[in-house]
């Protein structure tokens, strides 16, 4: 019975094409890391939410770890850039400040890093097993090898906490 109430919008960063106070929930999954101006984005999300509306976000963040952990994170990001993506990773304090600055309350941030590392390890194990052979055939050897290496790098960066994966739940008062 929610079909009449749901609407999905795919949009580029910038002002959301939604009226002020028009929506109950804004959900993003692993995309805020691509947006340079997080304070502006969070302010716009706040603008479009109804009072009591919720912002739910899962995102990769800079783990702010140096040494080997930071190098693993940098290697993962460099490899991702080969796909033409841009990244603007920031640490947890930047997200917390941007959420507070936008006016969000009841902000709950759950560290999901270990689970995400496990997912990356399972992807890598599947891809490199006999069960993954059809994926290799569809993608071709070169692209497949890049994807396998990306899964391994993501797992390593998350396990070393050079990258974090957090879930955020915030409310507009």
């Amino acid at each position: 019975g929610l079909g009449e109430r749901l609407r999905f919008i795919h949009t580029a960063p910038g002002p959301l094409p939604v009226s002020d106070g028009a929506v109950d929930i804004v959900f993003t999954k692993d995309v805020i890391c691509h947006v340079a101006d997080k304070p502006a984005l969070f302010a716009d999300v706040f603008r479009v939410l109804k009072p009591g509306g919720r912002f739910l976000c899962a995102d990769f963040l800079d783990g702010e770890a140096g040494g080997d952990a930071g190098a693993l994170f940098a290697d993962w990001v460099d490899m991702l850039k080969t796909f033409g993506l841009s990244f603007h990773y920031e640490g947890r304090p930047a997200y917390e400040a941007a959420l507070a600055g936008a006016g969000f309350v009841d902000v709950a941030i759950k560290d999901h890093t270990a689970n995400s590392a496990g997912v990356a390890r399972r992807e890598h194990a599947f891809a490199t097993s006999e069960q993954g052979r059809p994926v290799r055939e569809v993608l071709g050897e070169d692209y497949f090898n890049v994807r396998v290496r990306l899964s391994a790098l993501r797992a390593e960066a998350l396990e070393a906490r050079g990258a974090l994966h957090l879930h955020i739940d915030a409310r507009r008062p």
Side-chain angles (χ1 to χ4, degrees):
L2 294 177
E4 301 294 319
R5 297 184 58 204
L6 292 175
R7 189 169 102 189
F8 296 90
I9 300 170
H10 179 259
T11 185
L16 296 169
V18 178
S19 301
D20 295 1
V23 298
D24 297 302
I25 297 172
V26 172
F27 171 77
T28 67
K29 174 75 167 99
D30 302 337
V31 297
I32 304 295
C33 59
H34 300 283
V35 178
D37 192 347
K38 289 165 186 49
L41 175 65
F42 291 161
D44 201 45
V45 168
F46 187 89
R47 174 190 66 80
V48 302
L49 286 171
K50 294 176 182 176
R54 291 175 56 194
F55 175 46
L56 305 172
C57 168
D59 207 17
F60 288 99
L61 286 77
D62 182 347
E64 300 174 336
D68 291 341
L72 287 168
F73 178 64
D75 289 348
W76 177 54
V77 172
D78 285 344
M79 192 166 215
L80 283 169
K81 287 180 181 177
T82 65
F83 292 100
L85 301 171
S86 62
F87 296 94
H88 303 280
Y89 287 104
E90 296 189 51
R92 182 175 175 157
Y95 277 64
E96 290 170 338
L99 289 162
F104 284 100
V105 297
D106 300 333
V107 176
I109 299 177
K110 179 182 177 190
D111 190 327
H112 207 251
T113 304
N115 183 274
S116 292
V119 168
R121 285 285 174 208
R122 287 190 299 277
E123 287 174 1
H124 186 267
F126 172 81
T128 57
S129 73
E130 186 58 34
Q131 292 174 311
R133 182 176 299 283
V135 176
R136 171 178 267 156
E137 292 168 4
V138 169
L139 294 180
E141 195 68 26
D142 291 341
Y143 184 70
F144 175 81
N145 288 332
V146 169
R147 295 300 306 185
V148 166
R149 182 66 185 134
L150 271 172
S151 290
L153 278 172
R154 184 176 78 222
E156 292 168 18
L158 290 164
E159 288 166 348
R161 298 193 62 81
L164 300 177
H165 194 248
L166 302 181
H167 290 185
I168 300 168
D169 183 348
R171 186 177 60 81
R172 178 181 175 161

